[in-house]
DNA sequence: TATGAATGAGGCTTCATTCAT
DNA sequence: TATGAATGAAGCCTCATTCAT
């Protein structure tokens, strides 16, 4: 009788393993997207996950499905931060968004890919929703200017993407700080304009 | 007797075609980079240019050589603008830079590719040089704030890249305008901050 | 429903075919190396084996891997002969070595290729080992001069290679006989010197 | 008015240059065969010779024609040695033959190529002729055993080829010496059997 | 249901050969 | 007659995707 906690041993372990496989695939994809970019071969992901090629296709029919799910998990994390609900939440969220942007440059490649294929996808909607309440709280606490909108926050994030992608690897954070200063965010205080 | 004005008809048109071929390849590459991105198959470029695979390799041994030449032409155009030398030059330059950024998003992908392979390549140096004098003139004419530096202009451009790349094709210009407003440039007047 | 005994019909025959495919590839490689030399196109091998290009790469990532495996099988056969253990074994071995040399001139080309890439590979070591005992037995039985060493046997073999490679196909055996006479081996008796 | 001693300057210098071009091609081919083997790209030869591709084809329609001509020059040199006519001539010839064998391993590759395509070519005939007289002189002077025939000398040479081709580059001469000892030639004295 | 081998299209690159000038 | 660019076939290799077991 096979050990269900053991994966990738070539034994069909039945439906019970499906959830574990899914998690393993997502973890593998996350790390490989970060290491080798969005276009990393799918079989490398399957290999690192310890599953067969077929399983990967069962769970995620296209590369885009896989990538969207990986990045969805980031949204889950961000939503958890947003739910904490004090006035510093917005700052935490922003900090985490910038870090994710720096870490996962694969996201931008996915976005390019998705633009052509997934007209319906507007990943920003979810971001918009999770930012609304924390930004309101920050407004009330006087931590950000009253005029700052959610859309401007998102736009700034996309500007950060541009800077991240075009910076030499060893100067990314320095350039990001410079660009945030340009829009009037002093990175130390994270107090916009 | 073959018609020498006809391209891509499978006939060896002889060395006289070399210059025309080179131009045809560059034009094909320019349009395909814009349409399909930096990683468009090289044989698609050769096909659109109406030349054999080998000709493309003779003129441009690597994809990077080809891309650098294409973008070099952009620099040439920008330098021509810069040379005109009146106080509105900076505005013209900036407008053209933003347009190029919107049109040729392949440039960003090339930059990523070049980063790994062409340590010596710093495309921004050339940009920096051609901007210096026009920005000085704009300073003197009071058209831009005295504090605005060339590096800030370049950084802004990279932020624009980020917005371009992550925007749905039909809303690119709208988003770019929004982001320029964010950094205090009102796109209508091009009067920064 | 596809006929699983039929090869190369464009149908995915599943993993069960792996072992059969491997054998088919090796057989195809063996015959094509003999017919067309070491540098025969790999896709010709895949075609004769009735498999896709990718399968060949899965089993043998490089041409050298494939060739080494093919020739390994020759070593296996020789070692089986060597294991039989009577005093005539050396004669059998030698006869087979000469025949293999004549049949598989691709071996020499592979050796040239391997020299540059596989510093660790010393194919002769395995030959040396399998010859040692049979030569000793032949010494004891007085079938070969006491002074004949394993290295001399190997050197003679390489001289035979030279003659094989430079002889017109229809006179190979005649020339080999002549050259063995030169070193004092009368091919009829196989009684060296 | 072009300088006829100057080659590869892109100017059509008329028929007078034909002989110089031919010599340049042969010299380039000789060095490149030695450096990179028989299958060196033909355009590399044309480039080193400083001529266009077309000229190479005019003079030598096939790779084999070129190679045969290159090696013919070796025969010319050997015939010059043979013509000197004293009793040590055979020894000089033999020494030069072994050296050529070691230097020009491209010859063996050409031989493999020629086997399939040039049934009529028996390069050995010319060798045989130039060796006959010197070997006779050596016989008369008692420098070689009376039984040694020209064909045996040629066969030995081909055995040397085999050893050369299969030896690690840094041990070629050592192995050749060993093999000559095997056939009873002590390399120091060059006194066969 | 999971495995992982097989398929084969597609992209890259190299040359032998041709041919306009 | 010489040049050297153009052609395009051919080989190499890499995956995305399928499917027998």
């Amino acid at each position: 009788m096979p050990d269900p906690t053991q994966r990738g041993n070539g034994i069909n372990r039945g439906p019970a393993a499906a959830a574990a496989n899914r998690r393993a695939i997502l973890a593998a994809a996350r790390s490989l997207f970060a290491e080798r970019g969005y276009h990393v071969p799918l079989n490398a992901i399957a290999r690192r996950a310890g599953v067969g090629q077929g399983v990967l296709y069962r769970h995620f029919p296209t590369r885009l499905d896989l990538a969207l799910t990986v990045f969805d998990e980031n949204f889950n994390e961000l939503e958890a931060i947003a739910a904490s609900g004090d006035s510093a939440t917005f700052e935490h969220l922003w900090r985490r968004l910038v870090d994710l942007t720096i870490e996962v440059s694969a996201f931008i490649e996915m976005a390019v890919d998705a633009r052509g294929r997934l007209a319906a996808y507007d990943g920003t909607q979810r971001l918009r929703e999770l930012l609304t309440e924390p930004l309101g709280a920050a407004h009330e606490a006087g931590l950000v200017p009253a005029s700052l909108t959610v859309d401007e926050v998102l736009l700034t994030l996309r500007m950060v993407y541009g800077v991240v992608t075009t910076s030499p690897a060893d100067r990314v954070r320095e350039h990001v700080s410079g660009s945030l200063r340009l829009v009037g965010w002093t990175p130390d205080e994270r107090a916009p304009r």
Side-chain angles (χ1 to χ4, degrees), chain A residues 104-128:
Chain A
V104 191
S105 72
F107 192 92
I108 201 171
E109 300 176 82
M110 184 205 74
V112 172
D113 195 57
R115 243 206 290 178
R117 307 220 234 149
L118 198 60
Y121 177 72
D122 185 4
T124 60
Q125 188 49 38
R126 197 166 168 193
L127 259 188
R128 204 173 275 125

Side-chain angles (χ1 to χ4, degrees), chain A residues 79-169:
Chain A
E79 282 164 351
I81 296 175
S84 77
D86 62 88
S87 64
T89 298
F90 179 72
E91 190 195 323
H92 295 153
L93 270 179
W94 175 251
R95 206 186 298 268
R96 187 66 188 124
L97 278 168
V98 171
D99 284 351
L100 280 173
T101 302
I102 291 173
E103 285 162 21
V104 191
S105 72
F107 192 92
I108 201 171
E109 300 176 82
M110 184 205 74
V112 172
D113 195 57
R115 243 206 290 178
R117 307 220 234 149
L118 198 60
Y121 177 72
D122 185 4
T124 60
Q125 188 49 38
R126 197 166 168 193
L127 259 188
R128 204 173 275 125
E129 280 164 17
L130 72 86
L131 278 167
T132 303
E133 211 162 328
L135 180 60
H139 278 153
E140 281 168 31
L143 296 172
V144 298
S147 64
L148 183 68
T149 68
V150 168
D151 278 342
E152 286 173 346
V153 173
L154 293 180
L155 207 46
T156 307
L157 205 55
R158 287 154 68 192
M159 294 161 85
V160 172
Y161 275 131
V163 173
V164 167
T165 316
T166 58
S167 295

Side-chain angles (χ1 to χ4, degrees), chain A residues 44-107:
Chain A
I45 295 176
R47 202 177 321 117
R48 181 171 292 186
V51 302
Q53 300 267 91
V55 175
L56 193 150
Y57 276 86
R58 167 177 304 275
H59 287 291
F60 306 100
T62 72
R63 178 185 297 273
L64 196 50
D65 292 318
L66 177 55
L68 289 175
T69 307
V70 166
F71 295 122
D72 252 23
E73 294 190 337
N74 294 341
F75 286 125
N76 292 339
E77 181 201 346
L78 292 167
E79 282 164 351
I81 296 175
S84 77
D86 62 88
S87 64
T89 298
F90 179 72
E91 190 195 323
H92 295 153
L93 270 179
W94 175 251
R95 206 186 298 268
R96 187 66 188 124
L97 278 168
V98 171
D99 284 351
L100 280 173
T101 302
I102 291 173
E103 285 162 21
V104 191
S105 72
F107 192 92

Side-chain angles (χ1 to χ4, degrees), chain A residues 7 19-29 45 48-51:
Chain A
R7 273 203 342 287
N21 279 345
R22 192 171 201 277
R23 275 194 304 277
I25 290 167
L26 286 172
I45 295 176
R48 181 171 292 186
V51 302

